Amino acid sequence: MADFGRRDFDVPRADAAGRFGEYGGRFVPETLMAPLAELETAYRRARRDGAFRRELDGLLTTYAGRPTPLTQARRLTEALGGARILLKREDLLHTGAHKINNALGQVLLARRMGKRRVVAETGAGQHGVATATAAALLGLECVVYMGEVDVERQAPNVYRMRLLGTKVVPVASGSRTLKDAINEAMRDWVATYDTTHYVLGSVLGPHPFPTMVRDFHAVIGKEALAQSRRLLHGALPDLLVACVGGGSNAIGLFHAFLPFRGVELVGVEAGGRSLAPGEHAARFGPGRAGVLHGTRTLLLQDEDGQVLPTHSVSAGLDYPAVGPEHANLAALGRTRYVSVSDGEALEAFHLLSEKEGIIPALETAHAVAWAVREAPRRRPDEVIVVNLSGRGDKDVPQVARREGVEL
Amino acid sequence: MSRIEALFAKKSPVLIGFTVAGDPGIEASFRVAKTMIDARVDLLEIAIPYSDPVADGPVIERAHVRALRAGATPETAFALVREVREYAPALPVVLFTYYNIIHRRGGDRFFAEAAAAGADGVLVVDLPVEESDEVAPFAARYGIDRIALVAPTTSPDRQRAILYGASGFVYIISIEGVTGERDRLSPGIARLVGAVREKTALPLAVGFGISRPEHVRTVVAAGADGVIVGSALVRTIEEHLGDEAGMHAALRTVIARLRRGFAPDPEPDILRRERVEG
């Protein structure tokens, strides 16, 4: 167990241009500069407005189901024979993942800005479902762009969005995954921003999105900090683990813990089938600084700057770039990033289901898999918190198919 | 005097044609450029093919895909500029690119290569004025114009900031949205051209959505010095894949029709209603 926590790390803040060190910023076509400035102003006002915060907190509590528990994973801990494992249960939120924190925040903000329509991209479908849900709740029209590959492998979520009254638009361009869905959502927004807000689903994109999305998810870490102090008699966990696609659940969990250098922070990327180009989404090894979707960050690209295809069994991690704040925290040595393969994630998917009665999302299973690898190497008095960012119902048909089971 | 300055000094309005380097194939791409020049395009805008062209609509996006599938790279674009330079020594050429292409290569190397190939200007579609310091010194070092973009959403203050560092000509985006043909142009285009005109002595060219002679006429009447046509030409290529002779004939027809928008006298109604085909 880490000590009571000394604040010995100065958390870097984004500058006025939205830069985190050498990463971040705003690299978009001129037409989007005014809408982004409008959004930045509206968000700055909203976050200072007690009424906005109360309304969001109210929805998070009475609609989404916050706070989420910190569950002791006793049988998993016992099976691994090492560090004690705690699970931050974002999977218990309404719609089944952390994504609802941000979706409610942004859709509330959209309504406040007088927008009557929202668009979103989705990979695994969790952000799409969360946005569709928030839009239904608050009475806004909603369109979600989703790569054709993801429409196929996350079919249950596609139908959920349609049930919620959202129009799902399959995207056939490029790699037909999350990256291409973001391209389409941006193209929609650039033509419709008068009436439309783009609910970007991760800590990606041009300023102010990485900061705003992080703020909406920071509640995860604030709760986890208080809960671990209660559970550990005032002490802090030794290690936090979260999966990282764009990195929203990870930054949400990490942020409250950043000042305490004694708490190790690990993000888990998709190692895919192998670490050959196109076979994975592990940005922190082969990735080089580049500009994609409006931000400068670590990017999987070839020597000409063409964005490389990625692969992961999990749609939500299948993305060639990462949130700029993660890239900066890694450069500062405050966080580190590892990858686990498709196979390890699938094993962890089964293990957590059998040992704890929790079926995790395949994205989340990557974080679990790394904890499975790491826990036995650590002492029993050490504590690992795994962010259980989402539940796996959406993945059940896909995993069954992979394993030759007919449902 | 640069080639861009010389062009606008002797001619107004001008027709600017857009093509993606490597579309529909690496060698075929030069033949397309040659046909466009022969059909009296005054300035050529050559896009470097990119994997994620988010400012472009579906027609131009598919051209990027075709070019990349054909194996095109930034080097293909530089080679095309060299070939055009040889074929039409006085014709100004502007490279159109997404920023990551420059970022990956490094600004110094990119602008050195662009200049060596004979490019006159570079337009970076996703590099706003706030971030333009990343390329400005290199553009200046190699004597390349930085073509500035002004959108309908650009405030007067931003217009001033953008125009401050601009050279060559100013690219005015006519519509709120991505590239692609539209039935009608934004009614605010005359006001936008007028507002930019007050703030700069540079020539003004209007692009995005222009595909018919009446669009050209509207833009010229609004006071622009040039019109930029992209998707209408790229679509012509796409519609004639596998029929190169037909493709070149159609390109010539489309360009000739667009040029009719420059004619001082309005066309008969029958022509005005006709869509630009091919």
Side-chain angles (χ1 to χ4, degrees):
Chain A
M1 198 178 316
D3 53 21
F4 297 98
R6 204 154 40 88
R7 291 177 182 269
D8 53 1
F9 179 74
D10 219 1
V11 181
R13 296 169 62 100
D15 69 10
R19 292 197 196 87
F20 298 91
E22 65 167 298
Y23 301 108
R26 194 179 270 172
F27 297 88
V28 294
E30 175 60 23
T31 312
L32 278 180
M33 291 304 284
L36 286 168
E38 179 197 346
L39 175 62
E40 186 184 358
T41 306
Y43 173 58
R44 201 183 312 124
R45 286 190 187 136
R47 63 183 289 188
R48 281 199 302 254
D49 179 355
F52 178 82
R53 289 205 309 267
R54 276 191 298 280
E55 188 170 12
L56 179 55
D57 287 348
L59 287 177
L60 289 174
T61 312
T62 63
Y63 183 75
R66 300 216 74 91
T68 61
L70 190 65
T71 301
Q72 310 208 42
R74 290 204 172 85
R75 292 193 67 230
L76 182 66
T77 300
E78 199 179 303
L80 297 174
R84 178 176 170 196
I85 295 177
L86 307 176
L87 307 172
K88 179 60 176 163
R89 300 294 306 283
E90 295 298 292
D91 62 311
L92 291 176
L93 286 173
H94 180 44
T95 70
H98 71 289
K99 295 288 187 189
I100 192 77
N101 301 325
N102 169 52
L104 284 171
Q106 284 200 50
V107 177
L108 261 186
L109 181 64
R111 197 182 62 177
R112 185 186 155 101
M113 291 170 75
K115 311 289 183 188
R116 52 177 174 74
R117 177 175 177 268
V118 289
V119 293
E121 84 294 343
T122 199
Q126 289 303 117
H127 174 58
V129 167
T131 305
T133 299
L137 177 71
L138 297 169
L140 276 74
E141 186 191 337
C142 181
V143 174
V144 172
Y145 292 93
M146 188 170 189
E148 276 182 349
V149 170
D150 296 336
V151 166
E152 168 80 14
R153 61 181 163 174
Q154 305 280 232
N157 272 344
V158 176
Y159 189 57
R160 284 171 83 195
M161 286 184 267
R162 289 182 174 146
L163 285 175
L164 292 160
T166 278
K167 185 177 165 205
V168 180
V169 181
V171 176
S173 60
S175 55
R176 298 178 294 138
T177 56
L178 180 56
K179 165 180 84 81
D180 313 284
I182 295 178
N183 289 348
E184 271 326 294
M186 285 179 79
R187 288 179 178 125
D188 181 310
W189 193 41
V190 73
T192 60
Y193 63 84
D194 259 354
T195 58
T196 300
H197 171 65
Y198 175 21
V199 184
L200 187 50
S202 194
V203 285
L204 297 167
H207 179 60
F209 282 108
T211 309
M212 177 173 72
V213 176
R214 176 202 69 205
D215 290 350
F216 286 136
H217 284 304
V219 62
I220 305 172
K222 284 178 201 156
E223 285 175 13
L225 184 65
Q227 289 165 325
S228 32
R229 284 215 194 269
R230 270 200 299 280
L231 192 71
L232 307 173
H233 311 291
L236 292 176
D238 299 274
L239 173 63
L240 308 183
V241 189
C243 64
V244 178
S248 68
N249 88 78
I251 209 85
L253 176 65
F254 293 172
H255 226 260
F257 292 88
L258 280 175
F260 309 101
R261 212 190 281 266
V263 181
E264 220 181 311
L265 307 173
V266 175
V268 186
E269 305 186 277
R273 285 185 287 251
S274 80
L275 290 178
E279 294 279 287
H280 65 89
R283 291 70 44 101
F284 283 89
R288 298 277 303 262
V291 171
L292 180 68
H293 294 147
T295 192
R296 181 179 0 235
T297 186
L298 289 174
L299 176 63
L300 293 172
Q301 55 183 319
D302 71 11
E303 59 192 21
D304 287 326
Q306 309 293 356
V307 179
L308 287 171
T310 52
H311 161 80
S312 170
V313 66
S314 100
L317 304 186
D318 201 347
Y319 181 71
V322 68
E325 190 168 10
H326 282 289
N328 186 45
L329 288 168
L332 296 170
R334 179 63 191 94
T335 52
R336 73 187 167 101
Y337 300 83
V338 297
S339 66
V340 307
S341 69
D342 284 355
E344 287 173 288
L346 284 160
E347 275 174 37
F349 177 86
H350 284 288
L351 185 68
L352 192 72
S353 302
E354 287 161 25
K355 294 295 177 197
E356 297 295 336
I358 299 169
I359 302 175
L362 283 176
E363 290 76 21
T364 310
H366 284 72
V368 176
W370 191 77
V372 166
R373 222 199 266 169
E374 187 66 13
R377 298 179 190 160
R378 297 194 176 234
R379 297 187 313 272
D381 66 339
E382 289 185 83
V383 177
I384 301 177
V385 174
V386 179
N387 203 8
L388 240 286
S389 53
R391 68 178 188 221
D393 306 43
K394 70 183 176 62
D395 296 310
V396 168
Q398 188 202 352
V399 174
R401 201 162 47 231
R402 278 181 79 98
E403 296 177 352
V405 179
E406 211 171 304
L407 294 181
Chain B
M1 193 186 270
S2 75
R3 288 184 198 95
I4 294 177
E5 278 177 296
L7 170 67
F8 284 100
K10 72 168 199 272
K11 199 170 182 187
S12 177
V14 308
L15 183 64
I16 301 175
F18 169 98
T19 189
V20 176
D23 176 39
I26 289 177
E27 265 131 49
S29 175
F30 172 62
R31 294 194 289 272
V32 164
K34 192 168 161 295
T35 292
M36 286 167 65
I37 296 165
D38 292 346
R40 293 204 297 131
V41 157
D42 299 301
L43 186 156
L44 207 55
E45 195 183 9
I46 296 176
I48 301 179
Y50 183 53
S51 53
D52 293 82
V54 293
D56 286 297
V59 171
I60 293 180
E61 184 194 9
R62 287 196 295 270
H64 283 269
V65 171
R66 280 194 297 275
L68 291 171
R69 285 213 181 117
T73 64
E75 184 45 50
T76 308
F78 295 133
L80 181 58
V81 175
R82 279 194 296 273
E83 288 172 313
V84 166
R85 180 57 54 243
E86 206 166 292
Y87 183 69
L91 187 98
V93 177
V94 168
L95 278 168
F96 176 106
T97 186
Y98 285 84
Y99 182 47
N100 199 49
I101 299 286
I102 299 179
H103 193 274
R104 185 69 180 85
R105 252 178 154 70
D108 191 65
R109 180 179 159 202
F110 180 91
F111 281 90
E113 288 175 333
D120 302 288
V122 169
L123 189 160
V124 193
V125 67
D126 54 352
L127 192 72
V129 63
E130 286 82 352
E131 308 284 358
S132 61
D133 283 354
E134 303 208 359
V135 303
F138 307 114
R141 178 176 307 163
Y142 296 102
I144 298 233
D145 285 326
R146 269 194 305 127
I147 309 303
L149 283 161
V150 172
T153 51
T154 307
S155 68
D157 280 350
R158 277 188 68 79
Q159 288 176 4
R160 277 185 210 97
I162 289 168
L163 294 169
Y164 179 75
S167 56
F169 63 91
V170 180
Y171 191 132
I172 296 179
I173 299 172
S174 66
I175 39 153
E176 303 169 7
V178 293
T179 57
E181 298 152 272
R182 304 294 198 278
D183 281 343
R184 56 184 59 202
L185 292 184
S186 157
I189 188 63
R191 214 172 38 240
L192 182 58
V193 170
V196 177
R197 177 71 79 206
E198 279 173 20
K199 300 180 185 73
T200 182
L202 290 173
L204 312 182
V206 175
F208 279 42
I210 295 173
S211 57
R212 304 184 189 181
E214 65 263 32
H215 297 160
V216 173
R217 193 169 295 117
T218 304
V219 165
V220 171
D225 306 292
V227 294
I228 304 154
V229 181
S231 296
L233 299 175
V234 171
R235 188 167 55 80
T236 305
I237 294 173
E238 182 167 58
E239 285 174 355
H240 295 84
L241 293 172
D243 167 20
E244 216 178 304
M247 179 187 297
H248 290 273
L251 280 171
R252 281 189 291 270
T253 307
V254 171
I255 292 167
R257 280 199 192 154
L258 288 164
R259 289 204 75 93
R260 260 184 248 149
F262 288 160
D265 298 322
E267 297 167 53
D269 274 358
I270 180 111
L271 275 179
R272 195 181 305 172
R273 263 191 258 113
E274 193 178 354
R275 267 203 71 118
V276 173
E277 280 168 22

